[in-house]
Amino acid sequence: MNIIDEAGLLALATRLQRLSERMRKDGEDIYKAMGIHFQPKWFPVIYVLLHRNTLSVVEIAGEIGYSHPSTITLLKELEKEKLIRSGKDKADERKRLLQLSAKGRKLVTQMEPVWDIITAATIDLIDTQHNLMRAIEEVEERFRLQSFLQRALSLIKAHKEDDATGS
Amino acid sequence: MNIIDEAGLLALATRLQRLSERMRKDGEDIYKAMGIHFQPKWFPVIYVLLHRNTLSVVEIAGEIGYSHPSTITLLKELEKEKLIRSGKDKADERKRLLQLSAKGRKLVTQMEPVWDIITAATIDLIDTQHNLMRAIEEVEERFRLQSFLQRALSLIKAHKEDDATGS
DNA sequence: TTTATTTATGTAGTTAACTACGTAAATTTG
DNA sequence: CAAATTTACGTAGTTAACTACATAAATAAA
């Protein structure tokens, strides 16, 4: 038990990050062990293009929840790997439309059994009493209703009103 | 519902990271709203020095679960802010011993009510059916028993053995 | 008691995200 | 329809973590 575990709720962000990093690093090793040249950070882009077929840069960024410059960096890497291809939108000259390439689609079919294993291993890891996936979904839902900041500010306000009443 | 939410378990690492970033950013704004010049990333170091009093660089790194170079960077910032001070260990010339400064201890007393608010806001956010804190504790415990990679490799092995038996 | 190994700290360079800003195309408004 | 605004994309620079390597002190081994 280190101090971050002891600090509990105050260090929650740190612990979430640590867990995320560990999973991503292991993810990388799983692909490697299966002889597949693929980085976990590419997954969101590949997955969205698999399911939505053709999207612009900003649309992809929106779907994966990243800023558009970060998305552009990922797209550059994926084009270099020839897993995706891009072309101008004829209807709107500002837009660049992205798709999986033949190589990309082929890699996806190779990865699908690996994705099944990753999913199974994830279930093996997180299917505890307080299921992590459910917990995240529930917290994201609460975030949608009111941000962490707003919750804190409400508490501060309530605290100040208590003081005023008590004097 | 974006594609990352739909991808579910495969994109768990991405979602953990996103949640962590949102909480950290809001944390920064909470300190700001309370007129306290403090960055959430400093918390682990300050908290460990508050509770362990005097520690070396590597000891701090171990406690907060960061690499020692990352820790050194944090320590430099905190020394610049004059929240901590350091001196050589007389018994071991290699070691640099860190402590909270008077200014650091004073800031801690100012922050303690804010920490209470952050804790309360966190409870408000995560106290759902599948409590996130419990979920993380349970997953970390499982990680200790067997890594994500090892779990996946076991599944791959089991899968291959099935194939062999089936032929 | 030299020599080899380990431990503690530090530096340099990398990575993967970000924000801020700039340009060009499309759209809306006066 | 000309001007202003918005949208889409891109570049530059920042940040907060990391790994790899270097050096010096302490400890262990020959």
Side-chain angles (χ1 to χ4, degrees), chain A residues 24 39 41 66-67 69-70 74 91-94:
Chain A
R24 194 164 289 195
Q39 293 182 232
K41 65 170 171 168
Y66 282 11
S67 68
S70 307
L74 288 173
D92 186 339
E93 284 289 312
R94 296 168 305 174

Side-chain angles (χ1 to χ4, degrees), chain B:
Chain B
M1 190 82 159
N2 65 25
I3 200 85
I4 295 304
D5 297 336
E6 283 170 32
L9 298 169
L10 286 167
L12 180 58
T14 303
R15 288 174 80 174
L16 286 169
Q17 193 190 345
R18 233 159 60 181
L19 205 50
S20 169
E21 267 164 29
R22 273 203 273 184
M23 290 198 72
R24 194 164 289 195
K25 190 162 299 171
D26 277 16
E28 213 173 310
D29 293 340
I30 293 168
Y31 287 118
K32 217 173 280 171
M34 297 300 280
I36 290 172
H37 175 63
F38 191 75
Q39 293 182 232
K41 64 170 172 170
W42 294 338
F43 174 78
V45 172
I46 294 296
Y47 194 79
V48 73
L49 286 177
L50 180 62
H51 288 270
R52 302 274 194 272
N53 199 36
T54 305
L55 291 173
S56 73
V57 175
V58 170
E59 281 166 348
I60 293 171
E63 284 284 345
I64 68 177
Y66 281 12
S67 69
H68 85 267
S70 306
T71 306
I72 288 170
T73 306
L74 288 173
L75 294 174
K76 268 184 195 158
E77 288 178 28
L78 288 167
E79 270 198 285
K80 203 167 169 186
E81 298 285 333
K82 303 222 189 295
L83 298 177
I84 62 170
R85 60 195 170 77
S86 73
K88 277 242 175 303
D89 183 351
K90 279 152 195 166
D92 186 340
E93 284 288 312
R94 296 168 306 176
K95 282 189 185 171
R96 193 154 70 91
L97 294 179
L98 287 302
Q99 282 190 319
L100 290 184
S101 67
K103 185 182 172 190
R105 284 192 302 275
K106 195 179 156 198
L107 182 63
V108 165
T109 65
Q110 287 176 347
M111 283 193 291
E112 266 157 356
V114 182
W115 290 349
D116 291 343
I117 285 162
I118 290 172
T119 300
T122 306
I123 290 170
D124 188 36
L125 186 69
I126 74 167
D127 185 27
T128 60
Q129 200 187 335
H130 301 82
N131 186 290
L132 181 62
M133 196 64 198
R134 299 272 165 72
I136 288 174
E137 281 164 2
E138 287 163 1
V139 169
E140 283 176 349
E141 176 57 29
R142 289 215 177 166
F143 239 117
R144 244 166 263 135
L145 298 176
Q146 196 182 24
S147 76
F148 186 52
L149 175 63
Q150 288 165 336
R151 286 166 199 274
L153 294 178
S154 302
L155 288 166
I156 292 166
K157 208 183 149 201
H159 191 260
K160 277 186 186 158
E161 276 162 10
D162 276 5
D163 284 359
T165 313
S167 69

Side-chain angles (χ1 to χ4, degrees), chain A residues 9-43:
Chain A
L9 298 168
L10 286 167
L12 180 58
T14 304
R15 289 174 79 175
L16 286 169
Q17 193 190 343
R18 235 161 58 182
L19 204 51
S20 169
E21 267 164 28
R22 273 203 272 184
M23 290 198 72
R24 194 164 289 195
K25 190 162 297 171
D26 277 17
E28 214 173 310
D29 292 341
I30 293 167
Y31 287 118
K32 217 173 277 170
M34 297 299 280
I36 290 172
H37 176 63
F38 192 75
Q39 293 182 232
K41 65 170 171 168
W42 294 339
F43 175 79

